[in-house]
Amino acid sequence: MISEIVYGSCNYVRLNEGSKSSALISILDIRSPLTRPDFAKFKYALEMSFKDREELGTEEWPDLPTKKFNREILGDSLEKVFDLNDAHKIITFFEMISKDDSVTKLVVHCKSGVSRSPAIAYWLARHYNVQNVHSSYEDDRLWPNGRVLRLLDKALNI
């Protein structure tokens, strides 16, 4: 049963986290120069790649954007924004690891640990009643990505 969720930067997680009683959600841009944490240190790992981009104002981008849309928004033919399929993967992964009683901790990282990873960490904690959620930073800094939150809600039909 997951009793703790920690979120932070890729470098922090790579250097300080990992055990067979923990699971990992690893988020980086496709073209990121950072090295992901060693997945073998965790019992389970979900590798994801999407840019930290948000809808602005009242504009909602398509839930399942096309490659053309991603290229227009991001200016890159390989990168992509978070989409509804990504939200479903996160929920499915969390529900799967929650069934394993030996897994007590979920670690979520993105590049800096202030937008994508806290959005996922706090959303999962709220919807699956995990009380112990904290940042690898002393000040719990966060600016949760609104698109990630919106699509996670939609994926769970909220």
Side-chain angles (χ1 to χ4, degrees):
M1 174 181 199
I2 305 296
S3 60
E4 178 183 18
I5 301 176
V6 176
Y7 64 91
S9 70
C10 179
N11 287 335
Y12 170 83
V13 171
R14 191 169 41 79
L15 297 173
N16 298 292
E17 294 288 341
S19 75
K20 290 304 178 183
S21 64
S22 61
L24 173 69
I25 297 177
S26 175
I27 306 161
L28 288 175
D29 305 348
I30 290 170
R31 295 185 188 273
S32 176
L34 297 175
T35 302
R36 290 184 190 263
D38 181 359
F39 291 176
K41 290 183 177 180
F42 297 85
K43 184 151 188 188
Y44 302 101
L46 175 63
E47 180 178 351
M48 305 195 79
S49 296
F50 56 88
K51 293 287 277 184
D52 188 16
R53 295 297 289 276
E54 279 196 72
E55 302 150 332
L56 300 174
T58 59
E59 175 190 14
E60 285 187 6
W61 295 339
D63 296 343
L64 294 168
T66 63
K67 286 184 180 183
K68 180 181 178 192
F69 178 87
N70 279 315
R71 188 172 45 255
E72 289 170 3
I73 292 293
L74 303 172
D76 189 316
S77 61
L78 289 179
E79 296 288 357
K80 66 185 261 332
V81 297
F82 186 78
D83 66 31
L84 192 57
N85 289 330
D86 295 322
H88 284 292
K89 286 177 189 172
I90 289 167
I91 292 168
T92 300
F93 179 75
F94 188 82
E95 290 177 350
M96 184 264 306
I97 64 171
S98 294
K99 292 176 184 172
D100 185 335
D101 290 337
S102 70
V103 178
T104 59
K105 181 178 183 180
L106 173 64
V107 179
V108 185
H109 87 77
C110 56
K111 179 182 177 184
S112 300
V114 296
S115 181
R116 292 170 285 185
S117 59
I120 292 166
Y122 280 101
W123 188 91
L124 289 170
R126 184 175 70 230
H127 291 284
Y128 292 96
N129 199 26
V130 178
Q131 302 298 315
N132 187 7
V133 181
H134 56 94
S135 169
S136 62
Y137 298 109
E138 290 181 18
D139 60 0
D140 267 356
R141 64 181 112 170
L142 66 136
W143 299 278
N145 183 301
R147 178 172 174 82
V148 170
L149 295 171
R150 181 179 75 76
L151 290 177
L152 284 167
D153 279 347
K154 187 165 191 171
L156 204 57
N157 297 316
I158 296 174

Coordinates of all heavy atoms in Angstrom, one line a residue, residues 67-157:
K67 N 0.3 15.1 -34.1 CA 1.8 15.5 -34.2 C 1.9 16.9 -34.8 O 2.8 17.6 -34.3 CB 2.5 14.5 -35.1 CG 2.7 13.1 -34.5 CD 3.5 12.2 -35.4 CE 3.7 10.9 -34.7 NZ 4.5 10.0 -35.5
K68 N 1.0 17.3 -35.6 CA 1.0 18.6 -36.2 C 0.8 19.7 -35.1 O 1.5 20.7 -35.1 CB 0.0 18.7 -37.3 CG -0.1 20.1 -38.0 CD -1.1 20.2 -39.0 CE -1.1 21.6 -39.6 NZ -2.3 21.9 -40.4
F69 N -0.2 19.4 -34.2 CA -0.4 20.3 -33.2 C 0.8 20.5 -32.3 O 1.2 21.6 -31.9 CB -1.6 19.9 -32.3 CG -1.9 20.8 -31.2 CD1 -2.7 21.9 -31.3 CD2 -1.4 20.5 -29.9 CE1 -3.0 22.7 -30.2 CE2 -1.6 21.4 -28.8 CZ -2.5 22.5 -29.0
N70 N 1.4 19.3 -31.9 CA 2.6 19.4 -31.0 C 3.7 20.1 -31.7 O 4.4 20.9 -31.0 CB 3.0 17.9 -30.7 CG 2.2 17.3 -29.5 OD1 2.0 18.0 -28.5 ND2 1.8 16.1 -29.7
R71 N 3.9 19.9 -33.0 CA 4.9 20.6 -33.7 C 4.7 22.1 -33.7 O 5.6 23.0 -33.5 CB 5.1 20.1 -35.1 CG 6.2 20.6 -35.9 CD 6.4 19.9 -37.3 NE 5.2 19.7 -38.0 CZ 4.6 18.5 -38.2 NH1 5.1 17.4 -37.6 NH2 3.5 18.4 -38.9
E72 N 3.4 22.5 -33.9 CA 3.0 24.0 -33.9 C 3.2 24.6 -32.5 O 3.7 25.7 -32.4 CB 1.6 24.1 -34.4 CG 1.4 23.9 -35.9 CD -0.1 23.8 -36.3 OE1 -0.9 24.0 -35.4 OE2 -0.3 23.5 -37.4
I73 N 2.8 23.9 -31.5 CA 2.9 24.4 -30.1 C 4.4 24.4 -29.6 O 4.9 25.4 -29.0 CB 2.1 23.6 -29.1 CG1 0.6 23.9 -29.5 CG2 2.4 23.9 -27.7 CD1 0.1 25.3 -29.2
L74 N 5.1 23.4 -29.9 CA 6.4 23.2 -29.3 C 7.6 23.5 -30.3 O 8.7 23.6 -29.9 CB 6.6 21.7 -28.8 CG 5.6 21.3 -27.8 CD1 5.7 19.8 -27.5 CD2 5.7 22.1 -26.5
G75 N 7.2 23.6 -31.6 CA 8.3 23.9 -32.6 C 9.2 22.7 -32.8 O 10.4 23.0 -33.1
D76 N 8.8 21.5 -32.5 CA 9.7 20.4 -32.6 C 8.8 19.2 -33.0 O 7.7 19.0 -32.5 CB 10.2 20.1 -31.2 CG 11.3 19.0 -31.2 OD1 11.2 18.0 -31.8 OD2 12.3 19.2 -30.5
S77 N 9.3 18.4 -33.9 CA 8.5 17.3 -34.5 C 8.6 16.0 -33.6 O 7.8 15.1 -33.7 CB 9.0 16.9 -35.9 OG 10.4 16.5 -35.8
L78 N 9.5 16.0 -32.6 CA 9.6 14.8 -31.7 C 8.9 15.0 -30.4 O 8.3 14.1 -29.8 CB 11.0 14.4 -31.5 CG 11.8 13.8 -32.6 CD1 13.2 13.5 -32.2 CD2 11.1 12.6 -33.1
E79 N 9.0 16.2 -29.8 CA 8.4 16.5 -28.5 C 6.9 16.5 -28.5 O 6.3 16.7 -29.6 CB 8.9 17.9 -28.0 CG 10.4 17.9 -27.7 CD 10.9 17.1 -26.5 OE1 10.1 16.5 -25.8 OE2 12.1 17.1 -26.3
K80 N 6.3 16.3 -27.4 CA 4.8 16.3 -27.3 C 4.4 16.9 -25.9 O 5.2 17.0 -25.0 CB 4.3 14.9 -27.4 CG 4.7 14.0 -26.3 CD 4.2 12.5 -26.5 CE 3.0 12.1 -25.9 NZ 2.4 12.5 -24.7
V81 N 3.1 17.4 -25.9 CA 2.6 17.8 -24.6 C 1.9 16.7 -24.0 O 1.6 15.6 -24.6 CB 1.6 19.0 -24.9 CG1 2.3 20.2 -25.5 CG2 0.4 18.6 -25.7
F82 N 1.6 16.8 -22.7 CA 0.9 15.8 -21.9 C -0.5 15.6 -22.6 O -1.2 16.6 -23.0 CB 0.7 16.3 -20.5 CG 0.1 15.3 -19.5 CD1 0.8 14.3 -19.0 CD2 -1.2 15.4 -19.1 CE1 0.3 13.4 -18.1 CE2 -1.8 14.5 -18.2 CZ -1.0 13.5 -17.7
D83 N -0.9 14.3 -22.7 CA -2.2 14.1 -23.3 C -3.0 13.1 -22.5 O -2.6 12.6 -21.4 CB -2.1 13.6 -24.8 CG -1.4 12.3 -24.9 OD1 -1.5 11.4 -24.0 OD2 -0.7 12.1 -26.0
L84 N -4.2 12.8 -22.9 CA -5.2 12.0 -22.2 C -4.6 10.6 -22.0 O -4.8 9.9 -21.0 CB -6.5 12.0 -22.8 CG -7.7 11.4 -22.0 CD1 -7.9 12.0 -20.7 CD2 -9.0 11.5 -22.8
N85 N -3.9 10.1 -23.0 CA -3.3 8.7 -22.9 C -2.3 8.7 -21.8 O -2.2 7.7 -21.1 CB -2.7 8.3 -24.2 CG -3.7 8.0 -25.3 OD1 -4.8 7.6 -25.0 ND2 -3.4 8.2 -26.6
D86 N -1.5 9.8 -21.7 CA -0.5 9.8 -20.6 C -1.2 9.8 -19.2 O -0.8 9.1 -18.3 CB 0.3 11.1 -20.7 CG 1.2 11.2 -21.9 OD1 1.7 10.2 -22.3 OD2 1.3 12.3 -22.5
A87 N -2.3 10.5 -19.1 CA -3.1 10.5 -17.8 C -3.6 9.1 -17.5 O -3.5 8.6 -16.4 CB -4.3 11.5 -17.9
H88 N -4.1 8.4 -18.5 CA -4.6 7.0 -18.3 C -3.4 6.1 -17.8 O -3.6 5.3 -17.0 CB -5.2 6.4 -19.5 CG -6.6 7.0 -19.7 ND1 -7.7 6.6 -18.9 CD2 -7.1 7.8 -20.7 CE1 -8.8 7.2 -19.3 NE2 -8.5 8.0 -20.4
K89 N -2.2 6.3 -18.4 CA -1.0 5.5 -18.1 C -0.7 5.7 -16.6 O -0.4 4.7 -15.9 CB 0.2 5.8 -19.0 CG 0.1 5.3 -20.4 CD 1.3 5.7 -21.2 CE 1.1 5.4 -22.6 NZ 2.1 6.0 -23.5
I90 N -0.7 6.9 -16.2 CA -0.4 7.2 -14.8 C -1.3 6.6 -13.8 O -1.0 6.0 -12.8 CB -0.3 8.8 -14.6 CG1 1.0 9.3 -15.3 CG2 -0.3 9.1 -13.1 CD1 1.0 10.8 -15.4
I91 N -2.6 6.7 -14.1 CA -3.7 6.2 -13.2 C -3.6 4.6 -13.2 O -3.6 4.0 -12.1 CB -5.1 6.6 -13.7 CG1 -5.2 8.1 -13.4 CG2 -6.2 5.8 -13.0 CD1 -6.4 8.8 -14.0
T92 N -3.4 4.0 -14.4 CA -3.3 2.6 -14.4 C -2.0 2.1 -13.7 O -2.1 1.1 -12.9 CB -3.2 2.1 -15.9 OG1 -4.4 2.5 -16.6 CG2 -3.0 0.6 -16.0
F93 N -0.9 2.8 -13.8 CA 0.3 2.4 -13.1 C 0.1 2.5 -11.6 O 0.5 1.6 -10.9 CB 1.5 3.4 -13.6 CG 2.8 3.1 -12.9 CD1 3.5 2.0 -13.3 CD2 3.3 4.0 -11.9 CE1 4.8 1.8 -12.7 CE2 4.5 3.7 -11.3 CZ 5.2 2.6 -11.7
F94 N -0.5 3.6 -11.1 CA -0.7 3.8 -9.7 C -1.6 2.7 -9.2 O -1.3 2.2 -8.1 CB -1.2 5.2 -9.4 CG -1.3 5.5 -7.9 CD1 -0.1 5.9 -7.3 CD2 -2.4 5.3 -7.2 CE1 -0.1 6.1 -5.9 CE2 -2.4 5.5 -5.8 CZ -1.3 5.9 -5.2
E95 N -2.7 2.4 -9.9 CA -3.6 1.4 -9.4 C -2.9 0.0 -9.3 O -3.1 -0.8 -8.4 CB -4.8 1.4 -10.2 CG -5.7 2.6 -9.9 CD -6.9 2.8 -10.8 OE1 -7.1 2.0 -11.7 OE2 -7.7 3.7 -10.5
M96 N -2.0 -0.2 -10.3 CA -1.3 -1.5 -10.3 C -0.3 -1.6 -9.2 O -0.3 -2.6 -8.5 CB -0.5 -1.6 -11.7 CG 0.2 -3.0 -11.9 SD 1.9 -3.0 -11.5 CE 2.7 -1.7 -12.4
I97 N 0.5 -0.6 -8.9 CA 1.5 -0.7 -7.9 C 0.8 -0.6 -6.5 O 1.3 -1.2 -5.5 CB 2.6 0.5 -7.9 CG1 2.0 1.9 -7.8 CG2 3.3 0.3 -9.2 CD1 3.0 3.0 -7.6
S98 N -0.4 -0.1 -6.4 CA -1.1 0.0 -5.1 C -1.6 -1.4 -4.7 O -1.8 -1.6 -3.5 CB -2.3 0.9 -5.2 OG -1.9 2.2 -5.4
K99 N -1.7 -2.3 -5.6 CA -2.1 -3.7 -5.3 C -0.9 -4.5 -4.7 O -1.2 -5.6 -4.1 CB -2.6 -4.4 -6.5 CG -3.9 -3.8 -7.0 CD -4.4 -4.4 -8.3 CE -5.7 -3.7 -8.8 NZ -6.1 -4.1 -10.1
D100 N 0.3 -4.0 -4.8 CA 1.5 -4.7 -4.3 C 1.8 -4.2 -2.9 O 2.3 -3.1 -2.7 CB 2.6 -4.5 -5.2 CG 3.9 -5.3 -4.8 OD1 4.0 -5.7 -3.6 OD2 4.7 -5.6 -5.7
D101 N 1.5 -5.0 -1.9 CA 1.7 -4.5 -0.5 C 3.1 -4.3 -0.1 O 3.4 -3.6 0.9 CB 1.1 -5.6 0.5 CG -0.4 -5.6 0.5 OD1 -1.0 -4.6 0.0 OD2 -1.0 -6.7 0.8
S102 N 4.1 -4.8 -0.9 CA 5.5 -4.5 -0.6 C 5.9 -3.1 -1.1 O 7.0 -2.7 -0.7 CB 6.4 -5.6 -1.2 OG 6.4 -5.5 -2.6
V103 N 5.1 -2.4 -1.9 CA 5.5 -1.1 -2.4 C 4.8 -0.1 -1.5 O 3.5 0.0 -1.4 CB 5.1 -0.9 -3.8 CG1 5.4 0.5 -4.3 CG2 5.8 -1.9 -4.7
T104 N 5.6 0.7 -0.8 CA 5.0 1.7 0.2 C 5.3 3.1 -0.2 O 4.7 4.1 0.4 CB 5.6 1.5 1.6 OG1 7.0 1.6 1.5 CG2 5.2 0.1 2.1
K105 N 6.1 3.3 -1.2 CA 6.5 4.7 -1.6 C 6.5 4.9 -3.1 O 7.0 4.0 -3.9 CB 7.9 5.0 -1.1 CG 8.5 6.3 -1.3 CD 9.9 6.4 -0.7 CE 10.6 7.7 -0.8 NZ 11.9 7.7 -0.2
L106 N 6.0 6.0 -3.6 CA 6.0 6.4 -5.0 C 6.9 7.6 -5.1 O 6.7 8.6 -4.3 CB 4.6 6.7 -5.5 CG 4.6 7.3 -7.0 CD1 5.1 6.2 -8.0 CD2 3.2 7.7 -7.3
V107 N 7.8 7.6 -6.0 CA 8.7 8.7 -6.3 C 8.4 9.2 -7.7 O 8.3 8.4 -8.6 CB 10.2 8.3 -6.2 CG1 11.1 9.4 -6.6 CG2 10.6 7.7 -4.9
V108 N 8.2 10.5 -7.8 CA 7.8 11.1 -9.1 C 8.9 12.2 -9.4 O 9.1 13.1 -8.5 CB 6.4 11.7 -9.1 CG1 6.1 12.2 -10.5 CG2 5.4 10.8 -8.6
H109 N 9.5 12.2 -10.5 CA 10.4 13.2 -10.9 C 10.1 13.8 -12.3 O 9.6 13.1 -13.1 CB 11.9 12.8 -10.8 CG 12.4 12.1 -12.0 ND1 12.7 12.9 -13.2 CD2 12.6 10.8 -12.4 CE1 13.1 12.0 -14.1 NE2 13.0 10.8 -13.7
C110 N 10.5 15.0 -12.4 CA 10.6 15.6 -13.8 C 11.9 16.4 -13.8 O 12.8 16.1 -12.9 CB 9.4 16.6 -14.0 SG 9.1 17.9 -12.8
K111 N 12.2 17.3 -14.7 CA 13.5 17.9 -14.8 C 13.8 18.7 -13.5 O 14.8 18.4 -12.9 CB 13.5 18.9 -16.0 CG 14.8 19.6 -16.1 CD 14.8 20.6 -17.3 CE 16.1 21.3 -17.3 NZ 16.1 22.4 -18.4
S112 N 12.9 19.6 -13.1 CA 13.2 20.4 -11.9 C 12.4 20.1 -10.7 O 12.8 20.5 -9.6 CB 13.0 21.9 -12.3 OG 13.8 22.3 -13.3
G113 N 11.4 19.3 -10.9 CA 10.6 18.9 -9.7 C 9.6 19.9 -9.2 O 9.3 19.9 -8.0
V114 N 9.2 20.9 -10.1 CA 8.3 21.9 -9.6 C 7.0 22.1 -10.3 O 6.1 22.8 -9.9 CB 9.0 23.3 -9.5 CG1 10.2 23.3 -8.6 CG2 9.5 23.7 -10.9
S115 N 6.8 21.4 -11.4 CA 5.5 21.6 -12.2 C 4.9 20.2 -12.5 O 3.8 20.0 -12.1 CB 5.9 22.3 -13.5 OG 4.7 22.5 -14.2
R116 N 5.5 19.4 -13.3 CA 4.9 18.2 -13.7 C 4.8 17.2 -12.6 O 3.7 16.6 -12.3 CB 5.6 17.5 -14.9 CG 5.5 18.3 -16.2 CD 6.5 17.9 -17.3 NE 7.8 18.3 -17.0 CZ 8.9 18.1 -17.8 NH1 8.7 17.5 -18.9 NH2 10.1 18.5 -17.4
S117 N 5.9 17.0 -11.9 CA 5.9 15.9 -10.8 C 5.0 16.3 -9.6 O 4.3 15.5 -9.1 CB 7.3 15.6 -10.4 OG 8.0 16.7 -9.9
P118 N 5.0 17.6 -9.2 CA 4.1 17.9 -8.1 C 2.6 17.8 -8.5 O 1.8 17.4 -7.7 CB 4.4 19.3 -7.6 CG 5.2 19.9 -8.7 CD 5.9 18.7 -9.4
A119 N 2.3 18.1 -9.7 CA 0.9 18.0 -10.2 C 0.5 16.5 -10.1 O -0.6 16.2 -9.5 CB 0.8 18.5 -11.7
I120 N 1.3 15.6 -10.5 CA 1.0 14.2 -10.5 C 1.0 13.7 -9.0 O 0.0 13.0 -8.6 CB 2.0 13.4 -11.3 CG1 1.7 13.7 -12.8 CG2 1.8 11.9 -11.0 CD1 2.8 13.2 -13.7
A121 N 2.0 14.1 -8.2 CA 2.1 13.6 -6.8 C 0.8 14.1 -6.0 O 0.2 13.3 -5.3 CB 3.3 14.2 -6.2
Y122 N 0.5 15.3 -6.1 CA -0.6 15.8 -5.3 C -2.0 15.4 -5.8 O -2.9 15.1 -5.1 CB -0.6 17.4 -5.2 CG 0.4 17.8 -4.1 CD1 1.7 18.2 -4.4 CD2 0.1 17.7 -2.8 CE1 2.6 18.6 -3.5 CE2 1.0 18.0 -1.8 CZ 2.2 18.5 -2.1 OH 3.1 18.8 -1.2
W123 N -2.1 15.2 -7.1 CA -3.3 14.7 -7.7 C -3.5 13.2 -7.2 O -4.6 12.9 -6.8 CB -3.3 14.7 -9.2 CG -4.6 14.4 -9.8 CD1 -5.7 15.2 -10.1 CD2 -5.1 13.1 -10.1 NE1 -6.7 14.5 -10.6 CE2 -6.4 13.2 -10.6 CE3 -4.6 11.8 -10.0 CZ2 -7.2 12.1 -11.0 CZ3 -5.3 10.7 -10.4 CH2 -6.6 10.9 -10.9
L124 N -2.5 12.4 -7.3 CA -2.6 11.0 -6.8 C -2.9 10.9 -5.4 O -3.8 10.2 -4.9 CB -1.4 10.2 -7.2 CG -1.1 9.9 -8.6 CD1 0.3 9.3 -8.8 CD2 -2.1 8.9 -9.2
A125 N -2.3 11.8 -4.6 CA -2.5 11.8 -3.1 C -3.9 12.1 -2.8 O -4.6 11.5 -2.0 CB -1.5 12.7 -2.4
R126 N -4.5 13.1 -3.5 CA -5.8 13.6 -3.2 C -6.9 12.5 -3.6 O -7.8 12.3 -2.9 CB -6.1 14.9 -4.0 CG -7.5 15.5 -3.7 CD -7.6 16.8 -4.4 NE -7.8 16.6 -5.8 CZ -7.1 17.3 -6.7 NH1 -6.2 18.2 -6.4 NH2 -7.2 17.1 -8.0
H127 N -6.7 11.9 -4.8 CA -7.7 11.0 -5.3 C -7.5 9.5 -4.7 O -8.5 8.8 -4.8 CB -7.7 11.0 -6.8 CG -8.2 12.3 -7.3 ND1 -9.5 12.6 -7.3 CD2 -7.6 13.3 -7.8 CE1 -9.7 13.8 -7.8 NE2 -8.5 14.3 -8.1
Y128 N -6.4 9.2 -4.1 CA -6.2 7.9 -3.6 C -5.8 7.9 -2.1 O -5.4 6.9 -1.6 CB -5.1 7.1 -4.4 CG -5.5 6.8 -5.8 CD1 -5.2 7.7 -6.9 CD2 -6.3 5.7 -6.1 CE1 -5.6 7.4 -8.2 CE2 -6.7 5.4 -7.4 CZ -6.4 6.3 -8.4 OH -6.8 6.0 -9.7
N129 N -6.1 9.1 -1.5 CA -6.0 9.2 0.0 C -4.6 8.8 0.5 O -4.5 8.1 1.5 CB -7.1 8.4 0.6 CG -7.3 8.9 2.1 OD1 -7.1 10.1 2.4 ND2 -7.8 8.0 2.9
V130 N -3.6 9.4 -0.1 CA -2.2 9.2 0.5 C -1.9 10.5 1.3 O -1.9 11.6 0.7 CB -1.2 9.0 -0.7 CG1 0.2 8.9 -0.1 CG2 -1.6 7.8 -1.5
Q131 N -1.7 10.3 2.5 CA -1.5 11.5 3.4 C -0.1 12.1 3.4 O 0.1 13.3 3.6 CB -1.8 11.1 4.9 CG -3.2 10.5 5.1 CD -4.3 11.5 4.7 OE1 -4.2 12.7 5.1 NE2 -5.3 11.1 3.9
N132 N 0.9 11.3 3.2 CA 2.3 11.8 3.3 C 2.9 12.1 1.9 O 3.3 11.2 1.2 CB 3.2 10.7 4.0 CG 4.6 11.2 4.3 OD1 4.9 12.3 4.1 ND2 5.4 10.2 4.7
V133 N 2.8 13.4 1.5 CA 3.3 13.8 0.2 C 4.3 14.9 0.5 O 3.9 15.9 1.2 CB 2.2 14.3 -0.7 CG1 2.7 14.8 -2.0 CG2 1.1 13.3 -0.9
H134 N 5.5 14.9 -0.1 CA 6.4 15.9 0.1 C 7.4 16.0 -1.0 O 7.6 15.1 -1.8 CB 7.1 15.8 1.5 CG 7.8 14.5 1.7 ND1 9.1 14.3 1.4 CD2 7.3 13.3 2.1 CE1 9.5 13.0 1.6 NE2 8.4 12.4 2.1
S135 N 8.0 17.2 -1.0 CA 9.0 17.5 -2.0 C 10.4 17.2 -1.5 O 10.7 17.1 -0.3 CB 9.0 19.0 -2.3 OG 10.1 19.4 -3.1
S136 N 11.3 17.0 -2.5 CA 12.7 16.8 -2.1 C 13.4 18.1 -1.7 O 14.4 18.1 -1.2 CB 13.5 16.2 -3.3 OG 13.5 17.0 -4.4
Y137 N 12.7 19.2 -2.0 CA 13.1 20.5 -1.6 C 12.7 20.8 -0.2 O 11.6 20.4 0.2 CB 12.6 21.6 -2.6 CG 13.0 21.5 -4.0 CD1 12.1 21.0 -5.0 CD2 14.3 21.7 -4.4 CE1 12.5 20.9 -6.3 CE2 14.7 21.6 -5.7 CZ 13.8 21.2 -6.7 OH 14.2 21.0 -8.0
E138 N 13.4 21.6 0.5 CA 13.1 22.0 1.9 C 11.8 22.8 1.9 O 11.1 22.8 2.9 CB 14.2 22.7 2.6 CG 15.4 21.7 2.9 CD 16.5 22.4 3.6 OE1 16.3 23.5 4.1 OE2 17.6 21.9 3.6
D139 N 11.6 23.6 0.9 CA 10.5 24.6 0.9 C 9.2 24.1 0.2 O 8.3 24.9 0.0 CB 10.9 25.9 0.4 CG 11.4 25.8 -1.1 OD1 11.4 24.7 -1.7 OD2 11.8 26.9 -1.7
D140 N 9.2 22.9 -0.2 CA 8.0 22.3 -0.9 C 7.5 23.2 -2.1 O 6.3 23.4 -2.3 CB 6.8 22.1 0.1 CG 6.8 20.7 0.6 OD1 7.6 19.9 0.2 OD2 6.0 20.4 1.4
R141 N 8.5 23.8 -2.8 CA 8.1 24.7 -3.9 C 7.4 23.9 -5.0 O 7.7 22.7 -5.3 CB 9.3 25.4 -4.5 CG 10.3 24.4 -5.1 CD 11.5 25.2 -5.6 NE 12.7 24.8 -4.8 CZ 13.9 25.1 -5.1 NH1 14.1 25.8 -6.2 NH2 14.9 24.8 -4.3
L142 N 6.3 24.5 -5.6 CA 5.6 23.8 -6.6 C 4.8 24.8 -7.4 O 4.3 25.8 -6.9 CB 4.8 22.7 -6.1 CG 3.6 23.1 -5.2 CD1 2.4 22.3 -5.6 CD2 3.9 22.8 -3.8
W143 N 4.6 24.5 -8.7 CA 3.7 25.3 -9.6 C 3.1 24.2 -10.4 O 3.5 24.0 -11.6 CB 4.5 26.2 -10.4 CG 5.2 27.3 -9.6 CD1 4.7 28.4 -9.1 CD2 6.6 27.3 -9.2 NE1 5.6 29.1 -8.4 CE2 6.8 28.5 -8.4 CE3 7.7 26.4 -9.3 CZ2 8.0 28.8 -7.8 CZ3 8.9 26.7 -8.8 CH2 9.0 27.9 -8.0
P144 N 2.1 23.5 -9.9 CA 1.6 22.3 -10.6 C 1.0 22.6 -12.0 O 0.4 23.7 -12.2 CB 0.4 21.8 -9.7 CG 0.7 22.4 -8.3 CD 1.5 23.7 -8.6
N145 N 1.4 21.8 -12.9 CA 1.0 22.0 -14.3 C -0.5 21.8 -14.4 O -1.0 20.7 -14.2 CB 1.8 21.0 -15.2 CG 1.5 21.2 -16.6 OD1 0.3 21.0 -17.1 ND2 2.5 21.4 -17.4
G146 N -1.3 22.8 -14.8 CA -2.7 22.8 -14.9 C -3.2 21.8 -16.0 O -4.3 21.2 -15.8
R147 N -2.5 21.7 -17.1 CA -3.0 20.7 -18.1 C -2.9 19.3 -17.6 O -3.8 18.5 -17.8 CB -2.1 20.8 -19.4 CG -2.5 19.8 -20.4 CD -1.8 20.1 -21.8 NE -2.1 19.0 -22.7 CZ -3.2 18.9 -23.5 NH1 -4.2 19.8 -23.3 NH2 -3.4 17.9 -24.3
V148 N -1.8 19.0 -16.8 CA -1.7 17.6 -16.2 C -2.9 17.4 -15.3 O -3.5 16.3 -15.3 CB -0.3 17.5 -15.5 CG1 -0.3 16.2 -14.7 CG2 0.8 17.5 -16.5
L149 N -3.2 18.4 -14.4 CA -4.3 18.2 -13.5 C -5.6 18.0 -14.2 O -6.4 17.1 -13.8 CB -4.3 19.4 -12.5 CG -3.1 19.6 -11.6 CD1 -3.2 20.9 -10.9 CD2 -3.0 18.5 -10.6
R150 N -5.9 18.8 -15.2 CA -7.1 18.8 -16.0 C -7.3 17.4 -16.6 O -8.4 16.8 -16.5 CB -7.2 19.9 -17.0 CG -8.5 19.8 -17.8 CD -8.6 21.0 -18.8 NE -7.7 20.7 -20.0 CZ -8.0 19.9 -21.0 NH1 -9.1 19.2 -21.0 NH2 -7.2 19.8 -22.1
L151 N -6.3 16.9 -17.2 CA -6.4 15.6 -17.9 C -6.4 14.4 -17.0 O -7.1 13.4 -17.3 CB -5.3 15.5 -19.0 CG -5.5 16.4 -20.2 CD1 -4.3 16.3 -21.2 CD2 -6.8 16.2 -20.9
L152 N -5.8 14.5 -15.9 CA -5.9 13.4 -14.9 C -7.4 13.4 -14.4 O -7.9 12.3 -14.2 CB -4.9 13.6 -13.7 CG -3.5 13.3 -14.0 CD1 -2.5 13.8 -12.9 CD2 -3.3 11.8 -14.2
D153 N -7.9 14.5 -14.1 CA -9.4 14.6 -13.7 C -10.2 14.0 -14.8 O -11.1 13.1 -14.5 CB -9.8 16.0 -13.5 CG -9.5 16.6 -12.1 OD1 -9.1 15.8 -11.2 OD2 -9.6 17.8 -11.9
K154 N -10.0 14.3 -16.0 CA -10.8 13.8 -17.1 C -10.6 12.3 -17.3 O -11.6 11.6 -17.5 CB -10.4 14.5 -18.4 CG -11.3 14.1 -19.6 CD -11.2 15.1 -20.7 CE -12.3 14.8 -21.7 NZ -12.3 15.8 -22.8
A155 N -9.4 11.8 -17.1 CA -9.2 10.4 -17.2 C -9.9 9.6 -16.1 O -10.3 8.4 -16.4 CB -7.7 10.1 -17.2
L156 N -10.1 10.2 -15.0 CA -10.8 9.5 -13.9 C -12.3 9.9 -13.9 O -13.0 9.6 -13.0 CB -10.2 9.9 -12.6 CG -10.4 8.9 -11.4 CD1 -9.9 7.5 -11.8 CD2 -9.7 9.4 -10.2
N157 N -12.7 10.6 -15.0 CA -14.1 11.1 -15.1 C -14.6 11.9 -14.0 O -15.7 11.7 -13.5 CB -15.1 9.9 -15.3 CG -14.7 9.1 -16.6 OD1 -14.5 9.7 -17.6 ND2 -14.7 7.8 -16.4

